[in-house]
Amino acid sequence: MSSKPKYSVILPTYNERTNLPVLVWLLQRMFSENSLDWEVIIVDDASPDGTLQIAQQLQNLYSAGRIVLKPRSGKLGLGTAYVHGLKYVTGDFVIIMDADFSHHPKFLPQMIEKQKEGDFDIVTGTRYASSGGVYGWDLKRKMISRGANLFADTVLRPGVSDLTGSFRLYKREVLENVISSTKSKGYSFQMELMVRAKGMGYRVAEVPISFVDRVYGESKLGQDEIVEYVKGVLNLWLSV
């Protein structure tokens, strides 16, 4: 590893043309203010709203070395988007986060510092410990999220407070190792990544974050994703 580590952000996108420019600006500002080397890998799944065209403009603005575009031909699932993006990572650490402003880049310096403190393999943002929280969700959505975490924690006992969270910092080689054994593709993908990582003996730290529901666009969580998550938990219970 070089003396100055590089951080690679994988951003799967689908209909995020409004959010993407501001998010990328906040990311580059955060990395610049902390004197960190960085790249953002955008995996767009043929968004009909023109997200890819916006991403191309961002690449022209920040350079192809900073903004890497690896679009796909259709909506192929969140898990496979991370697998696809990981192929093009050149950094020592990989950050995965949502492109809809649910995850604010302001928490990344804390996550990076936490990783350095204990040389952790994974640092995950948590909504459900210490000062973490969720804002903008109605009671039903909060109950679904809490229930999903409680169900998985009861069945799998992973020792992590926010299994369904998708704001994480991985050592690159750790993510490559864990993701190669992960079978889920959708909503249960993040949960399986963490459970398998803990099962492999990787060290995980948590940083409290504030999760804010998307300001622009529509949520992509539906009943099919919830059913898939429950199946994923039970399959993991049988296999891990």
Side-chain angles (χ1 to χ4, degrees), residues 151-152 155-156 191 228-238:
F151 176 59
V155 174
L156 301 171
M191 177 265 302
E228 188 231 350
Y229 175 81
V230 172
K231 290 180 178 178
V233 171
L234 295 176
N235 286 334
L236 268 178
W237 179 71
L238 293 172

Side-chain angles (χ1 to χ4, degrees), residues 14 17 21 39 63 76-77 94 96 105 124 129 164:
Y14 187 78
R17 64 170 289 137
E39 66 182 357
S63 84
L76 303 175
V94 182
I96 62 174
T124 181
T164 59

Side-chain angles (χ1 to χ4, degrees), residues 134-151:
V134 177
Y135 303 91
W137 277 358
D138 59 20
L139 181 60
K140 178 182 176 182
R141 185 67 191 273
K142 288 181 178 180
M143 289 179 65
I144 290 173
S145 179
R146 275 289 198 179
N149 275 282
L150 180 60
F151 176 59

Side-chain angles (χ1 to χ4, degrees), residues 84-184:
H84 181 70
L86 188 58
K87 296 176 184 175
Y88 306 99
V89 162
T90 63
D92 306 290
F93 295 91
V94 182
I95 295 163
I96 62 174
M97 60 190 300
D98 293 345
D100 62 2
F101 273 113
S102 299
H103 304 137
H104 199 291
K106 69 181 180 180
F107 295 107
L108 284 173
Q110 300 171 48
M111 296 171 73
I112 291 169
E113 186 60 33
K114 174 64 75 171
Q115 189 284 321
K116 291 178 180 177
E117 284 176 5
D119 191 30
F120 291 103
D121 300 303
I122 305 168
V123 177
T124 181
T126 177
R127 299 163 289 181
Y128 302 127
S130 187
S131 59
V134 177
Y135 303 91
W137 277 358
D138 59 20
L139 181 60
K140 178 182 176 182
R141 185 67 191 273
K142 288 181 178 180
M143 289 179 65
I144 290 173
S145 179
R146 275 289 198 179
N149 275 282
L150 180 60
F151 176 59
D153 186 61
T154 301
V155 174
L156 301 171
R157 300 188 180 280
V160 178
S161 65
D162 192 351
L163 267 183
T164 59
S166 53
F167 194 8
R168 295 176 184 165
L169 167 67
Y170 289 86
K171 289 182 177 177
R172 175 182 172 180
E173 64 273 17
V174 170
L175 182 56
E176 288 173 336
N177 193 16
V178 175
I179 211 168
S180 66
S181 64
T182 300
K183 299 178 177 61
S184 301

Side-chain angles (χ1 to χ4, degrees), residues 27-42:
L27 282 168
Q28 69 83 25
R29 186 181 71 169
M30 184 280 299
F31 285 124
S32 297
E33 288 178 347
N34 291 275
S35 301
L36 300 171
D37 194 8
W38 63 280
E39 66 182 357
V40 175
I41 299 166
I42 299 173

